[in-house]
């Protein structure tokens, strides 16, 4: 860990680290209206499934931001649709496209989440701010902005594929939103950036131990939805979710500062699996 | 920052800053009842859309307090209608006008918010109270009221357009309600007015950095709805919402005193877009 | 303020102040089921409105405990009915009378509140307890009860009209329930009666400043509903609600001890306004 | 108060007081589906009422655990059914019996509560534990169990009628569930048994003052429902509920340790009153 | 208790104890849609019951992970289905199989829970970590992993039947989810493993006292559902649930660190009991 970990920068320095943003994400959770569905004529059911399968198949093949289907366990929903897109407008189109499906009459929306893939640059931000501080460059001056933009571009180019990834091809999905605490003595937003960096670094180490087993996508939702971040974990063995999240719960960033929303657990479906998911 | 920032005025001095009020606002969120809508004959659907488009078009052209349509992302709703009006009576009329639309049978109300555009005059209040204190004018005497009224009028004239603005013509809307904390050591309502002014000033500086990118409308809802304030942010790039709200979360007013309600994210629709939003 | 403000009476003295009770109150909030209503034949709609208008008109003319109609703003409901009655049995009858209306099939109950008009006698209680203490009269003895009953009767006679008032004829209604905190260091129920009296006195001063503009009715709901008190504010200008409640939020009783439930804002309707409120 | 009030027994002594259990209780709250009910043919309505009245009449006459009907005030429900039974199996039968009624199609379950009449033996437990401690009898040995069983039997015989009471014949019912706090400094479950006994004794004194006016039935629901205890208060004047619960809120057991759930207020109905409660 | 109870291992040692996992569990809670069910033709009802009874009968006879039916008390649901399976995929199949039943049209999902039978190895973990520490074997090296795997296998073999048990054949079920606190001073995740072991040991002692009367199955749900653990208690006398959970509430692990979700209480049904549970 570098030596400036706990320096407090002048008060006019930004408190938020630089972040890079990628795909916009919409999670949609639906419960099947079984009674109404079963009451539908078989031919209409078949047609609705065929139409939906084709539509989701096309969305799954999109080059630049795809959609994927999941079967949820439990009463929170039967079907989850995850859309990765280039913009909120494209998310809106995806939402409308799902709404237009005949199948949609039998899908009751139970939940959703709107976010944007986000990578927080704690290390780079601290290094850059340190340099700008030493050069005497003041925040939000033209010089400052130029430096920030240059660094941000450099970083973005390095990790472009992590910002605009495909939806990982693993069998299980664990999704949950979360906040950092702002209460009492455990107030994340009153920590120095160096301290937050240290905690996120430690937190990241836990994640890295599971690198081969879990693909993790973090998205930011401040200003978009009710929690600050969304976490999508993808794995081929769902027990790994439990091990990873349990282990993380002991690191200081989680033990002291994390608040968790609802957890959604789901199994990947191919569009062609819709027929059996809706079998009567 | 002026030198009297932390003076504690005598106990009979008002603790609340002067505020100016403008348009009354009603946010209405609706989910489309898709199954029922699709079951409607096409000609009736067309007629309902035509009627609604015309009605919202007329509301959008009102000179003195207009209405605007937004397409929400996620399950919290599909359509948001925002009404700016001169009075609560006019808001009531707007609500009834929406309720009268044939389309309304297919709009399930999921949420709403009632508030009034509000501008808090911390600087002016402190300066005026300081002057009245030095002049020995006692709170709530006739002299006092005359001074308050004069100051309020002066301020209102200066910022009239900010009190009765059009609905900003930007593509994205982020709306959320919020409170100031009254718990434990973080009790906003136990701070001196000077301290609150200092915190709101610092808070405002963050907003001002985004002045070109975000149009912000603050409305007060104490006594009208479940939170104390409503915040509407309008921008042409939704990522700016995330950056702005994230950055603000670190300032002392937010880190220590803000409690946030649900966040709504939506994309501007023209009344003529209703047809595609309701396409089956 | 009298000199015994902070005396702690012996532990067997009552901690609760004497209270006077008046009308029983039932607030009923309903959302209009628009699709079902519009689907009803016009003649049946007309008949339902005529029946309801007549029924509410009769309830509005009751001599001894009336009912009034309000149009709510927002999704919490479209119609609020407030019943003032002599007893819970009469409230039950009022509830059943509303339920019997044909219109009731199109009114979905969204909320309600049960309470009893209550006036807390902090000043009189302290003065009386002080006197009884000095006289050496022990709590709950026959002598004690006689004194309490005498004082209560005296007080009741003085303020009878405030206990059994008509529903104020002002245009706007703001209703909300509230609690006093019992958590951590801010525990209302651990304060001495003298301290509570002082805080309520200060709190009352704020209300009195708005006496001409706002008619306030406080009702007690401990044992009847989920919060401890209900507050009904009636005014001809709804902005006054915001100013009053905001100003009160800074007094110590609110800043330190108040917890607020949902806020309902509504506009008075005459029974003859039902036709336009339900116009299709 | 006895001298061993605050003794801390050895750590292996039970922390929970002995309790006696009586009837199993099920509270069922229902809202009437008015539109569907009114749409039913009059003869079918009459038949449904006749069937339900007969069924509830029979349940009201049961010798060993009866059922009673109440009309609720407000939107939480229109009808409350309270079942006292010998076992959970009998409660299940009662629930199914209600579900089988034709009327049940028009009763939407809004809430319920499952509990068992419970009398906590703080005094007896402390005296017995003191004696066993002095005799050197170790917890959970055969000797210990024999003493406990003997004491429990003795106590049960003394208060059998309070464990298996009829449903009190008073006109008004106030029901609410509650917890003892386990948070921060106010943690009921960290107090010594002597301290809890002292607080419950003081708490009981308040109740005893209302003995003639209120019949109170406490039931335990740890392991059965979402709160730890249920409280049923029966009185002929509902104002007494407010006075009693308000007064109790100041005693230390409530001020410091009580958390209250929703409050239900209802008026006793005879089975033959169903006809008027469901009149259209 | 061994002498190394409170040793703090080096920071890179795992904070979570080793755990063993067994069956995946899905709890499904349903309310019967009585009006729709009663409206169904008797022959169709009979057929639906016959089909469901046969299906649940088959699931009850599965060799390697069975399903069981329970009748709930109260409004949270009428029917609970508990599935024990080898994998989440099998749970998904079970969920779909229930959804495919004609009866399913009359079952409204009210709740559910997803978890995995879990046994925490505090004792073994501490002993092993102690040994590895003394041997100088570093966490997550190949040597370390080999030791962990060996120990885990050893333990798993010892308790295989507890990991893959049948659903206990007792008449009553009490199910509830729970968390360990991460707030303020009572933060479970900041305790040393030795301290957690001590608390869980003490907690376990209470459970062991009820060993003959209650069969307890703990399942982990971190990453799968909204709480961290699920607790299923099975007994032949439901009063034992109250006694056990009450007694546990006083042990330090519960008094200081436990947060409880909703409690579900239910009575075992044989598949052949469905007919009477759905009798009209």
């Amino acid at each position: 860990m570098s030596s400036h970990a706990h320096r407090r920068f002048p008060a006019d320095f930004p408190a938020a680290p630089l972040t890079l943003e990628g795909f916009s994400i919409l999670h949609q959770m639906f419960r099947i209206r079984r009674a109404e569905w079963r009451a539908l004529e078989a031919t209409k059911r078949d047609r609705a499934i065929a139409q939906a399968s084709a539509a989701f198949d096309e969305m799954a093949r999109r080059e630049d931001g795809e959609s994927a289907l999941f079967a949820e366990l439990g009463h929170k929903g039967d079907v989850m649709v995850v859309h990765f897109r280039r913009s909120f407008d494209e998310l809106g189109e995806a939402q409308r496209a799902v709404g237009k499906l005949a199948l949609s009459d039998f899908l009751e929306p139970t939940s959703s989440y709107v976010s944007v893939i986000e990578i927080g640059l704690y290390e780079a931000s601290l290094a850059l701010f340190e340099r700008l501080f030493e050069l005497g460059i003041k925040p939000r001056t033209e010089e400052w902005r130029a430096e920030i933009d240059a660094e941000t571009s450099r970083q973005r180019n390095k990790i472009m594929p992590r910002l605009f990834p495909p939806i990982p091809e693993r069998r299980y999905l664990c999704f949950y939103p979360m906040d950092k605490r702002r209460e009492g003595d455990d107030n994340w937003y009153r920590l120095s950036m160096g301290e937050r960096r240290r905690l996120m670094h430690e937190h990241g180490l836990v994640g890295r131990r599971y690198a081969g087993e879990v693909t993790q996508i973090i998205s930011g939702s401040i200003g978009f939805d009710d929690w600050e971040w969304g976490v999508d974990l993808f794995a081929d063995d769902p027990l790994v979710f439990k091990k990873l999240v349990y282990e993380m719960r002991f690191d200081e960033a989680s033990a002291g500062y994390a608040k968790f929303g609802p957890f959604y657990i789901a199994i990947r479906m191919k569009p062609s699996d819709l027929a059996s998911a809706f079998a009567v």
Side-chain angles (χ1 to χ4, degrees), chain A:
Chain A
M1 200 138 301
S2 73
S3 63
H4 55 261
H6 290 85
R7 171 197 292 281
R8 287 249 173 208
F9 291 108
D12 62 343
F13 267 57
L18 301 176
T19 56
L20 299 177
E21 281 78 23
F23 276 136
S24 299
I25 304 184
L26 174 63
H27 288 77
Q28 296 187 288
M29 292 75 160
F30 299 102
R31 190 181 295 166
I32 301 177
R33 291 180 178 132
R34 292 213 172 269
E36 290 78 357
W37 175 245
R38 216 182 317 258
L40 191 69
E41 286 172 49
T43 53
K44 288 191 178 168
R45 284 200 308 256
D46 292 348
R47 225 177 303 144
I49 290 293
Q51 181 202 37
S53 302
F56 285 117
D57 197 58
E58 202 186 302
M59 288 195 213
R61 293 170 192 277
R62 285 171 52 99
E63 289 282 304
D64 194 25
E66 68 198 34
S67 302
L69 288 171
F70 298 84
E72 292 185 68
L73 290 181
H75 80 297
K76 289 177 192 165
D78 294 292
V79 177
M80 194 195 296
V81 192
V82 180
H83 307 283
F84 281 20
R85 290 293 185 280
R86 278 279 164 182
S87 69
F88 276 16
D89 295 78
E90 284 188 21
L91 286 186
E93 279 165 38
Q95 179 170 332
R96 272 193 304 280
V98 173
K100 266 194 200 172
L101 296 173
L103 192 65
S104 181
D105 290 357
F106 307 94
L107 292 175
E108 176 163 332
T110 53
S111 191
S112 67
Y113 209 74
V114 177
S115 55
V116 171
I117 290 182
E118 176 187 295
I119 292 175
L121 302 171
Y122 275 105
E123 301 293 338
S125 302
L126 278 164
L128 177 61
F129 289 2
E130 180 75 9
R131 193 162 57 77
L132 295 174
F133 174 72
E134 276 158 15
L135 293 170
I137 298 178
K138 296 280 176 213
R140 296 167 204 98
T141 56
E142 223 161 290
E143 238 181 317
W144 172 281
R145 278 184 217 283
E147 292 279 357
I148 297 285
D149 289 350
E151 178 65 23
T152 309
S153 294
R154 217 166 14 242
Q155 296 284 345
R156 186 179 292 119
N157 291 334
K158 279 206 304 202
I159 60 169
M160 197 59 90
R162 285 176 57 207
L163 294 172
F164 298 96
I167 297 178
E169 278 288 0
R170 291 169 179 265
R171 185 156 178 77
Y172 303 97
L173 167 61
C174 163
F175 170 72
Y176 60 95
M178 60 173 297
D179 273 353
K180 293 297 191 195
R181 284 219 183 106
R182 288 180 303 114
E183 284 125 40
D185 296 332
D186 290 333
N187 193 322
W188 180 258
Y189 292 93
R190 282 174 167 161
L191 300 179
S192 72
M193 197 191 292
E195 179 65 7
R196 279 177 278 130
R197 190 266 307 259
R198 188 183 67 74
L199 293 172
M200 291 308 292
H201 177 78
E202 178 200 351
H203 183 69
L205 288 179
V206 179
R208 234 165 295 165
R209 281 178 209 138
Y210 289 83
E213 295 165 278
V214 177
T215 309
Q216 177 181 282
I217 293 180
I218 303 295
S219 50
S221 45
I222 294 181
F224 305 146
D225 217 318
D226 300 353
W227 299 79
E228 298 177 342
W229 286 276
V231 179
D232 283 279
L233 306 175
F234 300 84
D236 294 321
D237 175 2
L239 284 187
V240 178
F241 297 143
K242 183 161 83 78
K243 286 186 192 301
L244 168 59
V245 181
Y246 190 26
E247 191 170 338
M248 277 188 169
R249 208 149 282 194
F250 290 95
D251 67 41
E252 192 51 26
S254 300
Y257 300 98
K259 288 173 67 174
F260 298 103
F263 282 75
Y264 300 89
I265 183 86
I267 305 174
R268 188 82 182 237
M269 281 202 291
K270 287 190 297 290
S272 57
D273 295 337
L274 275 178
S276 74
F278 281 79
V280 298

